[in-house]
Amino acid sequence: MGKYVQCQRRGKSTIFKSHTRTRKGAVKLRALDYAEKHGYIRGVVKEIIHDPGRGAPIAKVQFRNAYRYQRDNELLVCTEGMYSGQFLYCGKKATLSVGNVLPISAMPEGTIICNVEGRLGDRGSIARASGTYAIVVTHDDDKGTTRLRLPSGGKKTVSSDVRAQVGIVAGGGRTDKPLLKAGAAYHKYAVKRNCWPKMRGVAKNPVEHPFGGGNHQHIGKPSTVGRERPSGRKVGLIAARRTGRTRGKKVVE
């Protein structure tokens, strides 16, 4: 009887939970309200701050509450070119300028956007990582949908009513600089979660991993594994459609 493999322990064990004590808060668009649906609302960027465990900086934006005498602070994704003291406009009638939030239907084709909603009102779920962006490809006015090109190169159709921020997420080129030493990688992942260092399966013992053991480090069995295999055996290339190196050029429509 072997041990539970690490990917099984990840689901249940507390030592693999994300480290959230120093995080600044959830980064979301404003909750959709009357002002955004019919006009616009103005906010001011109070400061641009670092969020531990996140590659991109975030902006603390302050809005006046429309219903009571108070100010609302929101954490938004920081776009390239944003600065503290800048005025941001959110809503259907906001202008098309960097950092503003407006429905995709109000944007012309070819607009570069980020922090896009997957569904209306989810407050942003697509293209949020540092240096990423999506592109508005086409609008289908009959169906009320819009086709987007995602950072992965894939295409996605969303409702034309969903909101997005204009511009590219700040912090691009972060991965161009090498980590150089183990200490840099240690601190990078210490604020994320317990996922480093990553030990290869073939370097483990037979009780700890299906690929472990044997003289010379080798898998000794096919690395592909079926989708329905039990969780202790489901390691390697799970439900692989194809294997081997990619040949030819990727065609993006």
Side-chain angles (χ1 to χ4, degrees):
M1 179 69 194
K3 293 183 180 180
Y4 286 112
V5 298
Q6 193 172 14
C7 59
Q8 284 178 286
R9 293 195 293 124
R10 281 223 174 110
K12 194 170 185 181
S13 173
T14 54
I15 67 168
F16 295 105
K17 283 185 176 175
S18 58
H19 303 160
T20 57
R21 183 178 60 83
T22 55
R23 304 266 173 103
K24 297 295 185 283
V27 177
K28 297 179 178 180
L29 300 174
R30 286 183 75 252
L32 190 59
D33 59 1
Y34 185 89
E36 284 205 36
K37 285 179 185 174
H38 298 93
Y40 66 87
I41 186 168
R42 189 180 78 171
V44 61
V45 179
K46 300 304 282 186
E47 58 178 336
I48 291 170
I49 52 180
H50 168 67
D51 190 19
R54 183 188 296 269
I58 57 177
K60 185 185 280 185
V61 186
Q62 199 171 73
F63 297 91
R64 283 178 62 181
N65 190 298
Y67 303 104
R68 51 180 65 89
Y69 182 68
Q70 67 183 48
R71 298 185 187 277
D72 298 329
N73 289 314
E74 301 283 350
L75 292 175
L76 300 184
V77 167
C78 190
T79 56
E80 283 185 11
M82 198 181 276
Y83 56 90
S84 56
Q86 177 184 351
F87 287 123
L88 288 189
Y89 297 90
C90 302
K92 183 181 178 183
K93 295 184 179 175
T95 56
L96 189 74
S97 54
V98 170
N100 286 359
V101 179
L102 51 158
I104 292 182
S105 56
M107 301 176 184
E109 293 171 0
T111 306
I112 289 176
I113 55 176
C114 63
N115 200 13
V116 190
E117 291 182 322
R119 293 186 181 88
L120 182 63
D122 75 5
R123 301 176 70 181
S125 59
I126 300 168
R128 292 157 52 95
S130 57
T132 58
Y133 60 92
I135 299 174
V136 178
V137 180
T138 52
H139 292 296
D140 189 336
D141 297 328
D142 298 333
K143 293 180 181 175
T145 58
T146 299
R147 197 123 168 97
L148 302 178
R149 179 176 295 152
L150 304 182
S152 61
K155 300 285 184 61
K156 184 175 176 69
T157 303
V158 295
S159 167
S160 296
D161 295 329
V162 302
R163 298 169 296 161
Q165 261 178 279
V166 181
I168 301 172
V169 182
R174 175 174 52 84
T175 54
D176 295 345
K177 180 188 171 189
L179 290 171
L180 288 180
K181 57 181 188 174
Y186 169 83
H187 289 293
K188 174 184 175 179
Y189 292 106
V191 290
K192 288 177 180 286
R193 66 201 70 81
N194 179 13
C195 62
W196 184 90
K198 246 186 184 63
M199 191 175 174
R200 293 167 299 134
V202 291
K204 295 182 181 180
N205 295 312
V207 292
E208 292 150 354
H209 199 275
F211 296 166
N215 296 334
H216 309 296
Q217 288 186 1
H218 68 291
I219 295 177
K221 54 173 74 72
S223 59
T224 53
V225 61
R227 174 91 65 205
E228 308 301 327
R229 294 304 297 274
S231 50
R233 177 64 183 88
K234 210 160 124 180
V235 294
L237 304 173
I238 298 168
R241 290 196 182 96
R242 58 177 300 282
T243 58
R245 65 193 182 96
T246 308
R247 302 181 68 105
K249 203 159 64 170
K250 187 178 180 182
V251 178
V252 179
E253 296 171 11

